[in-house]
Amino acid sequence: MSRVMIKNLGSFIGKKVKVSGWLYSRTSKGKLIFLLIRDGTALVQAIVSRQMLSEEQFNLADKLTQESSLELIGVVREDKRAVGGYEIEVESLRVFQICENYPISPKKHGVEFLLSLQHLWIRSQHISSVLKIRAEIISAARNFLNSRGFYQVDTPILTPFACEGTSTLFEVEYFGEPAYLAQSGQLYNEATCMALGKVYTFGPTFRAEKSRTRRHLMEFWMLEPEMAFVEQEENMVIQEELIYYIVSEVLRNCSNELAILKRDISLLKKVQTPFPRLTYSQVVEILREKGFDIKWGDDFGAPHETAISSLYEKPVFITHYPASIKAFYMQPDFNNPELALCADLIASEGYGEIIGGSQRIHDYDLLKKKITEHHLPIEAYQWYLDLRKYGSVPHSGFGLGLERTVCWICGLSHIRETIAFPRMLDKIYP
Ligand code: 4AD
Ligand code: MG
């Protein structure tokens, strides 16, 4: 008999099925034992009765502890009151292992304790729901880009130079030479988009961020589209359409997971395009009116982003930052070169920046000047300058931080819950 996943039991009412999983909880009531079983897709209640099973099998069922691994065969019944709407009348049972002393009990545990048991905590309803939504977000983002003619290209993790500034590089030794873990795949994608037109890379990126916040990881995943012939305005439209699509796919496909996380989905339903846009200068004005001590030229921090996001019920773009506080490759505003043709997308509900993007400099001389001004080693960027020598075109792109996006869509309080094994300032185990 082939195995049926619990989430699909609805198609097997009245039929005999095999289900494999782990025990979530057990309630014994004399002649009946109720086993709540999880298999990764969902939970189902299985009913073991003395009438249906041998004495030996019934006693075995009565010994099952939390996380014991098992397989059972039984008939599916519809029961509106049961978890998930179905239950299984067990006819036979096979136990792989009786789990002893599982360290995480249903009672509340402290965060430090759970983090030290991350390899087990991921089995919890909470974390596994987040991981499923994460998978949905990735799949939606890929579908969106693939259907619009983007090609996925994989860019290197080991790189000889910095993309986003030298302060947060992880250095490794590359056969006697220094190399760095990628902070972003962008610069390579500026090359691949000149080959393929529209591309994206999706992979892990690394930043030695010396900050212990709810928004920073040392290793996080970034989705980075890059488009030839696209200027900043069109770049922003693609971003808002992508975000709208991701949110609507999560609402459509992950209602159970959102319910487990107690996410207020009415807020997600308000994420409709177009998103509001404010310039950096407007934001500085607003913040000053709100009493923040900030002057033109300062970068924004988490409290500033939170204050701005509270003005709207949708994500908001902040555009035209001073070029001086942004990366070297950003195209200066053609009317005012003090400003960069860039935008950060700030999530709603105070979740902060989820996207950073810009138009890129396509003029050879200007880019060379910027590389020098930023004290970057020109030799390492020679190939990047080449792109401005051979058929240069205006082009733009952006980077969507996956974990920030998961954190926001799931309504979590800390980014460490968005990835199975978070890498944080003081934590690399397990
Ligand atoms: O704004 P950032 O630094 O942009 C870039 O890296 C560009 N090269 C992307 C591009 O245009 N192709 O990072 C992009 C996003 C941020 O908006 C944020 O969501 C996320 O990456 N991010 C982090 N997420 C978790 N932990 C960190 N330490 C992060 N740093 C950036
Ligand atoms: Mg940024």
Side-chain angles (χ1 to χ4, degrees), residues 16-29:
K16 200 182 276 194
V17 296
K18 178 159 90 181
V19 164
S20 314
W22 295 264
L23 191 79
Y24 195 74
S25 66
R26 171 174 55 82
T27 315
S28 295
K29 288 194 172 152

Side-chain angles (χ1 to χ4, degrees), residues 6-42:
I6 294 174
K7 72 166 181 192
N8 298 331
L9 284 177
S11 318
F12 294 85
I13 298 166
K15 302 224 171 72
K16 200 182 276 194
V17 296
K18 178 159 90 181
V19 164
S20 314
W22 295 264
L23 191 79
Y24 195 74
S25 66
R26 171 174 55 82
T27 315
S28 295
K29 288 194 172 152
K31 292 193 177 104
L32 291 178
I33 304 169
F34 299 93
L35 305 176
L36 196 56
I37 293 164
R38 62 168 191 90
D39 72 348
T41 68

Side-chain angles (χ1 to χ4, degrees), residues 326 344 353 355-356:
K326 286 290 182 187
D344 284 356
E353 178 196 331
I355 292 182

Side-chain angles (χ1 to χ4, degrees), residues 95-385:
V95 174
F96 296 104
Q97 188 186 41
I98 301 266
C99 173
E100 284 176 36
N101 304 321
Y102 188 65
I104 305 175
S105 61
K107 72 163 200 236
K108 271 223 175 287
H109 293 285
V111 171
E112 285 309 316
F113 176 78
L114 292 172
L115 281 172
S116 73
L117 293 173
Q118 186 75 17
H119 52 298
L120 302 176
W121 192 30
I122 48 182
R123 301 181 188 189
S124 65
Q125 288 281 93
H126 179 81
I127 300 290
S128 42
S129 298
V130 174
L131 294 179
K132 288 182 207 173
I133 293 174
R134 177 186 170 105
E136 179 64 35
I137 292 172
I138 295 170
S139 140
R142 281 190 202 279
N143 288 345
F144 177 90
L145 294 170
N146 293 343
S147 72
R148 288 177 177 230
F150 284 76
Y151 295 100
Q152 183 177 347
V153 178
D154 304 310
T155 51
I157 303 291
L158 288 167
T159 64
F161 50 75
C163 176
E164 291 301 312
T166 49
S167 65
T168 63
L169 287 173
F170 275 109
E171 190 173 323
V172 293
E173 202 225 76
Y174 194 77
F175 306 110
E177 295 290 320
Y180 309 98
L181 299 182
Q183 295 167 316
S184 158
Q186 177 196 321
L187 305 192
Y188 290 104
N189 265 347
E190 290 183 55
T192 63
C193 85
M194 298 302 161
L196 303 173
K198 290 197 280 186
V199 297
Y200 66 97
T201 190
F202 175 59
T205 47
F206 305 85
R207 298 205 188 166
E209 308 260 15
K210 305 261 160 35
S211 46
R212 203 179 270 107
T213 79
R214 316 172 157 263
R215 293 179 181 178
H216 289 89
L217 291 169
M218 306 302 122
E219 178 178 312
F220 63 97
W221 286 65
M222 208 185 339
L223 179 79
E224 297 184 272
E226 193 70 30
M227 300 154 284
F229 306 103
V230 166
E231 298 184 38
Q232 181 54 10
E233 171 56 33
E234 191 180 345
N235 191 21
M236 289 195 285
V237 171
I238 290 167
Q239 292 168 42
E240 59 194 3
E241 287 175 353
L242 169 68
I243 295 295
Y244 167 73
Y245 184 75
I246 290 174
V247 170
S248 50
E249 285 296 279
V250 170
L251 285 168
R252 193 162 73 88
N253 297 322
C254 302
S255 51
N256 289 340
E257 289 75 20
L258 291 166
I260 289 169
L261 298 174
K262 302 193 170 65
R263 182 65 166 110
D264 181 349
I265 58 169
S266 69
L267 297 174
L268 292 178
K269 288 185 178 156
K270 292 183 179 150
V271 180
Q272 304 275 344
T273 58
F275 298 162
R277 293 161 191 213
L278 295 172
T279 64
Y280 169 90
S281 300
Q282 286 173 317
V283 170
V284 170
E285 277 306 303
I286 295 171
L287 290 173
R288 291 173 71 97
E289 276 162 28
K290 284 182 172 282
F292 283 93
D293 177 21
I294 189 164
K295 57 181 189 313
W296 201 93
D298 292 347
D299 206 355
F300 301 138
H304 306 118
E305 290 175 357
T306 303
I308 293 304
S309 85
S310 71
L311 303 175
Y312 303 97
E313 292 189 310
K314 315 178 185 187
V316 47
F317 283 112
I318 304 180
T319 69
H320 301 88
Y321 283 74
S324 58
I325 56 170
K326 286 290 182 187
F328 75 95
Y329 52 72
M330 290 189 181
Q331 174 65 52
D333 187 338
F334 295 99
N335 302 317
N336 178 359
E338 296 267 275
L339 306 178
L341 289 182
C342 67
D344 284 356
L345 183 67
I346 312 299
S348 41
E349 302 174 64
Y351 280 91
E353 178 196 331
I354 50 172
I355 292 182
S358 75
Q359 185 164 332
R360 325 303 191 186
I361 295 174
H362 62 276
D363 179 78
Y364 181 91
D365 293 328
L366 178 59
L367 183 60
K368 193 168 172 189
K369 185 164 155 260
K370 291 278 181 181
I371 292 173
T372 317
E373 278 172 13
H374 280 78
H375 307 292
L376 297 167
I378 199 93
E379 326 77 62
Y381 293 84
Q382 210 55 57
W383 70 272
Y384 185 63
L385 278 164

